[in-house]
Amino acid sequence: TQSTGKLLILLVATLFSVAFGLDFLSNTLGSHMVLQRAPQRANLWGFTTAGVRVEVIFRTLSYSTIANAKGEWNVFLPPTPAGGPYTIRVLSDAGESVFLEDILFGDVYICSGQSNMQFTVREAFNSTAEIAAAANYDQIRVMTVGQGTTSLTPEPELASIEQKWAVASPSSIGGPDWGYFSATCWFFGRDLYDAIRVPLGLISSNWGGTYVQAWSSPEALAKCPADEKSVSVTVKAPSPNTPSVLWNAMIVPYLPMSITGATWYQGESNTGHSNYYACAFPVMINDWRLKWGRETPRDFGFYFVQLAPWIINGSQSIEATIRLAQLYALKLPKVGVAISMDYGDPTSPYNNIHPRYKQIVGYRLSLPARALTYGQKIQYEGPNATSWIIVSDGPNAQVAVDFEPSSVGGGLVLVGASCATDLTPDQCAGFEIGSSTGTWHTATLSIDHERIVLKATITGRVVGVRYGWANYPIATLYNREGLPAVPFAFPNPIKPTEV
């Protein structure tokens, strides 16, 4: 009979869900979420039995599909302007049903990386006031992926969720240390919301102490020569740093989702391997863009934090080179950087590699998003050096450095700065001129419109010039908009590895 057939379908669907651990509606989705606004089409998807009809009811209209041979289904909603709240009902012929409430349409961002992205609002400076102020941002919704799994193969669902979709509030933003919510992601989203007044969905997916390789697909990794930090795969018990395991477990489940962009705070674990990172990081960005759902632009905005200072005993170039390697991502369209070398925190109780100044990082991340994604006419980058010339050789050396005119903004300015009292002088550096003897000499400078002129007494010939070549750079050059100059080295010592 017809009722017997429906009962059989329901039983098969239930067994499918239990056997494969997959939800009728993907567990990346849920009530209180933000779905991507027009002109993109938001995607809803999930899992049931092959051949089952799934219906989505939204704004009194019905949209249906048939689950494929793998039991996968998806429905694209019509392009919907920013706003809400809405309700959505999803049901199937097998009797499965999900009711979603308090759904907003706006822009969705993925926030990923290692521990400085995991670092929570509760751990940041002024956390009590910041957490209380979250009550004013109910148009922002947040979700945090759990760190409960790694995977050697792409996963359709999240195996662990730290925080389901929630309205921004003191409780959802002020979670436990290293739990939820990401301070960098929150301050980025908050400042962006203040500028665009569009609902935002922020997804925090990160894992402390991880390499870029863990967040990259096998196809991306194949484009850069293997590096000694490409940890060998252990089939039975992969670590969080086995190549591609976090891509598989913490990024792939979101690929069907329509999004606006991503933010990234990672690189500390890849120090000492800058040439590799200069290849792997841009390749990862391109690969994410290529593999994301079809409604997501192939050039979606990607905004990253250039690493803040921290204390490392030994080589003073190890942090400087990874910062330069990160900048190779700027060769890609719609990629922006938040410079943070002027905000170290040597006394951070969370280890000095984790500065508590996350508000400034979030703000600086929001600027390129406002400019490159939303087209706002603002100054979003600090002075970026493009070339150098030797004005006079040693012993009274002079070197001129020119900057990209658009990065200078209202003009170049110098500010006072010195090596922090918590540090030894060898940890710090500002502007330097290199000589043929192998010595780098501290330089004084003057500003000449969009150019700076460096002077130093040296032995031998001038062979190079650099700025911020230290674990703790002394940041003295800004534009009048208050954005710090990008560290540089001429000639550039970074040589990206390529297959």
Side-chain angles (χ1 to χ4, degrees), residues 160-178:
S160 177
I161 296 174
E162 177 78 15
Q163 175 191 38
K164 294 181 179 181
W165 279 106
V167 179
S169 68
S171 61
S172 65
I173 299 304
D177 291 359
W178 308 108

Side-chain angles (χ1 to χ4, degrees), residues 239-447:
S239 80
N241 276 317
T242 301
S244 302
V245 295
L246 302 184
W247 157 261
N248 289 332
M250 300 178 73
I251 299 298
V252 168
Y254 284 100
L255 293 185
M257 182 176 288
S258 302
I259 67 170
T260 294
T263 64
W264 178 258
Y265 198 156
Q266 189 276 337
E268 297 92 339
S269 289
N270 287 97
T271 53
H273 303 269
S274 299
N275 290 337
Y276 175 79
Y277 199 85
C279 175
F281 181 36
V283 165
M284 186 203 79
I285 296 171
N286 271 336
D287 190 64
W288 281 26
R289 287 172 163 176
L290 178 66
K291 288 182 166 62
W292 224 277
R294 71 186 189 192
E295 287 292 311
T296 297
R298 289 292 169 260
D299 62 347
F300 67 73
F302 194 102
Y303 308 111
F304 69 95
V305 182
Q306 190 187 51
L307 300 184
W310 77 95
I311 302 170
I312 298 178
N313 294 325
S315 172
Q316 296 309 296
S317 65
I318 193 168
E319 293 179 37
T321 54
I322 196 70
R323 291 189 189 106
L324 291 187
Q326 289 181 294
L327 298 177
Y328 275 80
L330 295 179
K331 297 179 182 293
L332 303 178
K334 288 189 179 178
V335 174
V337 59
I339 304 298
S340 66
M341 72 176 191
D342 55 337
Y343 275 91
D345 188 7
T347 61
S348 172
Y350 305 100
N351 191 316
N352 70 89
I353 200 172
H354 301 123
R356 291 164 286 177
Y357 296 101
K358 293 300 192 280
Q359 290 90 336
I360 192 68
V361 170
Y363 168 71
R364 289 177 180 175
L365 272 179
S366 74
L367 296 178
R370 291 169 58 188
L372 301 179
T373 294
Y374 300 95
Q376 294 187 1
K377 303 302 181 183
I378 61 169
Q379 187 64 40
Y380 69 92
E381 58 182 340
N384 194 358
T386 56
S387 61
W388 70 300
I389 57 172
I390 300 172
V391 178
S392 62
D393 220 326
N396 298 314
Q398 290 191 43
V399 175
V401 178
D402 291 310
F403 294 83
E404 175 65 39
S406 63
S407 71
V408 171
L412 298 173
V413 295
L414 291 173
V415 302
S418 60
C419 192
T421 56
D422 307 89
L423 307 173
T424 57
D426 63 313
Q427 290 275 352
C428 303
F431 290 95
E432 299 174 294
I433 294 175
S435 76
S436 55
T437 65
T439 303
W440 287 87
H441 302 266
T442 300
T444 60
L445 73 153
S446 59
I447 294 174

